[in-house]
Amino acid sequence: MTSNDQLAYYKPELVVIPCGSRKVDHPARAADLYTGSYHRACRAAAEALRPDRLLILSARYGLLDLDDVVEPYDTPHGTKESVTSQLLLEQATLRNIVRLDPVIALGGARHVGLVRSVWPHALTPLTGTRGMGEQMARLVALRDGTAGQPGRDPQQVTVSPDRVNRPTSGRRPARTRPDERSRHARRDGRNMALEQVGEVVVDAVVVNDGHVLLVEGQGGWGLPSGVPEDAETEQATAARAVYELTGFLVDGSSLLESGTAGRSAVVCHLLSADPSGEAQLTAGQLRWAPFADAIAAGLPAVVQTYLEGHSPV
């Protein structure tokens, strides 16, 4: 059996991802049915793991191959019409996949519980996350091959075999006490940051079609920002901060070299056109500014340089 702390070194035989409440309004392949940002993030992370088989766990139909064509539905997990552990076991037995190993389950606690009713040994990389924002950040890290694995020392980031271990000891101070809401929004000058004292601040430069995402702070409009958590890369921090503050799903694609101690910037590209309903900021506190306007807003020099070099002609 493969243990959680070996996830980065094993190609999974099976990854099971959750369905989603947002769907197209017509019969479709399971691969095309679900349109929500969380499902798409799980799908991207699963595909990056290069499994032999990828299944979607539908609350209505159970285990679906990507090519299975099904009708849209509105059946949440836990309802009378939803799938049961017994049905999943029967489906897995018919597909002859009960003995697969390694198996990875991406999703929340209810989804993981169903998967583990069939595969008790399933690895669960999202275990330990505290809320949707952290789950989204870990999914981005899994997709990029930079996720710290469950069961490992959180000060050591284990990545895929073709990458290099990246120690973070000494760079990420411990979080505040769990009963303190340390990641609530803080308006600080021209940047809206996720608050945590004594941390490196990561600015997220979210670009889309010649515009950059700005958020409103006490000093005016600036970049959404956050602070890294234990064993979290700057790219994952940027993606999590943007999601928690604005509701947009982004990828943290490239780190800009700022040369400024205590601050960095990450270029992010938009993955979801519509924000989730869990954002900390309102629509009125968000603005898509043309690059020229953003440059004039007094953003950090490294960000201005990037925008000037990528402005539409």
Side-chain angles (χ1 to χ4, degrees), residues 8 11 36 41 44 46 51 75 96 100 108 129 133 173 201 228 233 237-238 255-256 261 294 297 305:
K11 182 174 180 291
T75 306
N96 195 29
L100 295 185
T129 52
V201 175
T233 65
T237 298
L255 179 65
L256 300 179
T305 300

Side-chain angles (χ1 to χ4, degrees), residues 86-174:
Q86 181 61 37
L87 175 61
L88 293 183
L89 180 58
E90 292 172 1
Q91 291 179 336
T93 301
L94 288 173
R95 293 170 184 259
N96 195 29
I97 57 175
V98 173
R99 296 186 180 278
L100 295 185
D101 184 28
V103 175
I104 296 175
L106 300 178
R110 190 186 297 274
H111 171 82
V112 166
L114 284 169
V115 174
R116 279 189 159 170
S117 70
V118 179
W119 297 279
H121 56 282
L123 308 178
T124 57
L126 301 186
T127 296
T129 52
R130 292 157 289 188
M132 183 61 70
E134 289 190 15
Q135 287 196 28
M136 297 297 280
R138 188 166 293 181
L139 287 169
V140 170
L142 284 168
R143 183 202 65 194
D144 295 341
T146 57
Q149 305 307 329
R152 294 193 69 85
D153 182 347
Q155 296 299 316
Q156 180 73 31
V157 178
T158 303
V159 298
S160 56
D162 58 339
R163 302 186 183 221
V164 179
N165 285 348
R166 178 180 180 180
T168 59
S169 179
R171 200 167 68 87
R172 307 273 200 267

Side-chain angles (χ1 to χ4, degrees), residues 16-20 34 38-39 42 55-58 77 106-108 111:
V16 185
I17 64 174
C19 56
Y34 306 100
Y38 183 71
H39 170 82
C42 288
L55 295 177
I56 298 172
L57 174 48
S58 160
H77 280 295
L106 300 178
H111 171 82

Side-chain angles (χ1 to χ4, degrees), residues 22-29 32-35 70-73:
R22 295 182 60 182
K23 308 173 185 69
V24 298
D25 59 359
H26 54 81
R29 296 169 59 242
D32 305 319
L33 182 67
Y34 306 100
T35 61
V70 294
E71 296 272 352
Y73 59 92

Side-chain angles (χ1 to χ4, degrees), residues 65 139 248 299:
D65 280 305
L139 287 169
F248 284 110
L299 301 181

